[in-house]
Amino acid sequence: MPTTPTRPEVMKLQQNIEKVIKGKTDIVRHAMICVLARGHLLLEDVPGVGKTTLAQCLARSLNLSFSRIQFTSDMLPSDILGVTLYDQARREFDFKPGPLFANIVVADEINRTTPKTQSALLEAMNNAQVSIEKQTYDLPRPFMVLATQNPIEFHGTFPLPKSQMDRFMMRLHIGYPDLENEITVLREQRTGFSAERLDPVVSGEQMIEWQEAVDGVLVSDDLLTYLARVVQATRTSAEIVLGASTRAALALRGAAQGKAWLEGRDYCIPDDIKEMVIPVLAHRIMVKEGFESAGFSHEQETRALRHVMAQVEVPL
């Protein structure tokens, strides 16, 4: 079962976010692991369950620059990357950065913009830089994209290709709140906290130090072998037509390191990898047509990955 972070300094971050996001401790925890592991996060769920709110809460809780982009079908790559304009007074061209030039970028309803604009994010998410008119511009460090999308409404949307999905370290589903927490939200709607009222509780310098500490978490050779066998098994499974990539394996290792550090350890255990398999790999695989059933695609992907994990021996 998922555990609560044991580091008091990290608990402050989680408690700050949970002033707004009620009853979703595991989701908040996984989102923090994604940040610690230098990953990008995709929040996918039905409308109105708090996808954008969670992204905003996480961004506002970190003392870093952030911007929110509402993606639409008429948006152009220059709308997010920026443009080069001619300055008549100085007789030279100036680059005007777009909203992508921030530490935390909330990409709201990313599947509502065209593939051309979606692809403009590929270089940014992979290399933390963008190329415009033969010039390359570095993005602020750290750099993270928190994207949201609705998986059940297809009118006027452009599904993300697997090449783009592969750039997200994790995909999380928030889900509906239980009765008790929904009543709390209703009670506190007017007087409670909102994302806009949250104060930063972690400095940018501190987050960078945490990320460097996560990089140093030990993953033994036995665990690396186990991780690689899980990834390899997704490529040979009878239920999966497209298995996880090497980038996915690296992301799984990073997420496991983030979980271990969050729980106060400087080494990984098998449970770190097992817990991270579904949030890290599910959106990167494609289930074979004959194995699909009623329900969201993530339910089918989750079922296939559980079958894969059951077939791979866990190291002692």
Side-chain angles (χ1 to χ4, degrees):
M1 292 294 292
T3 59
T4 302
T6 59
R7 297 182 184 273
E9 64 273 26
V10 182
M11 279 297 298
K12 291 192 302 181
L13 176 59
Q14 177 158 339
Q15 290 166 355
N16 198 54
I17 296 172
E18 290 185 336
K19 290 177 182 178
V20 178
I21 305 298
K22 305 292 185 180
K24 297 295 179 181
T25 298
D26 291 346
I27 297 297
V28 173
R29 177 173 162 276
H30 282 170
M32 294 193 304
I33 290 173
C34 191
V35 177
L36 290 167
R38 308 174 193 264
H40 304 291
L41 176 61
L42 178 62
L43 298 170
E44 182 181 87
D45 218 317
V46 296
V49 295
K51 300 185 299 295
T52 303
T53 302
L54 173 57
Q56 290 178 321
C57 288
L58 187 57
R60 287 186 178 275
S61 296
L62 303 173
N63 194 19
L64 298 168
S65 64
F66 83 97
S67 63
R68 178 177 178 270
I69 306 172
Q70 179 64 55
F71 282 91
T72 57
S73 59
D74 60 350
M75 184 170 283
L76 300 174
S78 59
D79 293 329
I80 62 173
L81 300 179
V83 295
T84 301
L85 301 175
Y86 183 70
D87 188 329
Q88 292 185 346
R90 295 187 296 140
R91 296 186 178 181
E92 60 183 36
F93 288 94
D94 276 344
F95 174 65
K96 304 297 182 182
L100 195 63
F101 284 77
N103 294 114
I104 307 290
V105 178
V106 178
D108 208 8
E109 295 188 287
I110 192 173
N111 58 332
R112 288 203 172 274
T113 196
T114 61
K116 183 176 182 179
T117 303
Q118 290 174 358
S119 65
L121 288 172
L122 281 175
E123 182 184 10
M125 295 174 67
N126 205 43
N127 302 318
Q129 65 181 28
V130 296
S131 298
I132 302 172
E133 297 183 4
K134 300 182 180 180
Q135 293 290 326
T136 299
Y137 301 92
D138 291 330
L139 294 168
R141 301 294 180 104
F143 174 74
M144 180 182 188
V145 173
L146 298 173
T148 72
Q149 71 172 355
N150 173 4
I152 63 170
E153 188 174 317
F154 299 106
H155 180 69
T157 63
F158 303 87
L160 293 176
K162 285 297 181 182
S163 60
Q164 183 101 26
M165 296 285 279
D166 204 29
R167 264 65 177 185
F168 288 99
M169 172 173 277
M170 290 189 197
R171 181 188 64 183
L172 300 179
H173 304 277
I174 297 177
Y176 292 114
D178 58 26
L179 178 61
E180 181 180 349
N181 283 292
E182 192 149 31
I183 292 172
T184 300
V185 171
L186 293 172
R187 184 184 298 119
E188 297 181 354
Q189 182 179 19
R190 295 184 180 180
T191 60
F193 276 86
S194 64
E196 290 74 16
R197 295 176 59 189
L198 287 181
D199 294 322
V201 294
V202 177
S203 69
E205 293 78 10
Q206 189 173 27
M207 177 54 69
I208 291 172
E209 290 177 3
W210 292 356
Q211 291 175 336
E212 291 174 349
V214 168
D215 291 340
V217 171
L218 175 66
V219 186
S220 69
D221 288 344
D222 285 346
L223 286 183
L224 287 176
T225 300
Y226 170 63
L227 186 156
R229 284 176 175 167
V230 170
V231 172
Q232 289 278 337
T234 67
R235 303 166 188 167
T236 58
S237 169
E239 300 179 44
I240 300 172
V241 65
L242 177 65
S245 66
T246 302
R247 181 186 288 115
L250 292 169
L252 181 55
R253 184 193 65 185
Q257 289 174 299
K259 174 184 177 295
W261 186 87
L262 194 72
E263 296 175 3
R265 288 179 278 109
D266 60 1
Y267 59 91
C268 284
I269 59 177
D271 284 349
D272 296 330
I273 296 173
K274 290 165 65 177
E275 183 182 330
M276 291 295 103
V277 164
I278 290 173
V280 173
L281 299 188
H283 61 289
R284 304 169 190 265
I285 65 171
M286 186 180 298
V287 179
K288 287 185 178 178
E289 184 176 352
F291 290 91
E292 292 182 354
S293 59
F296 294 151
S297 63
H298 72 83
E299 295 173 348
Q300 302 151 13
E301 295 153 359
T302 296
R303 188 181 304 112
L305 285 174
R306 285 177 176 158
H307 291 167
V308 163
M309 285 190 286
Q311 298 167 10
V312 180
E313 184 179 357
V314 181
L316 298 177

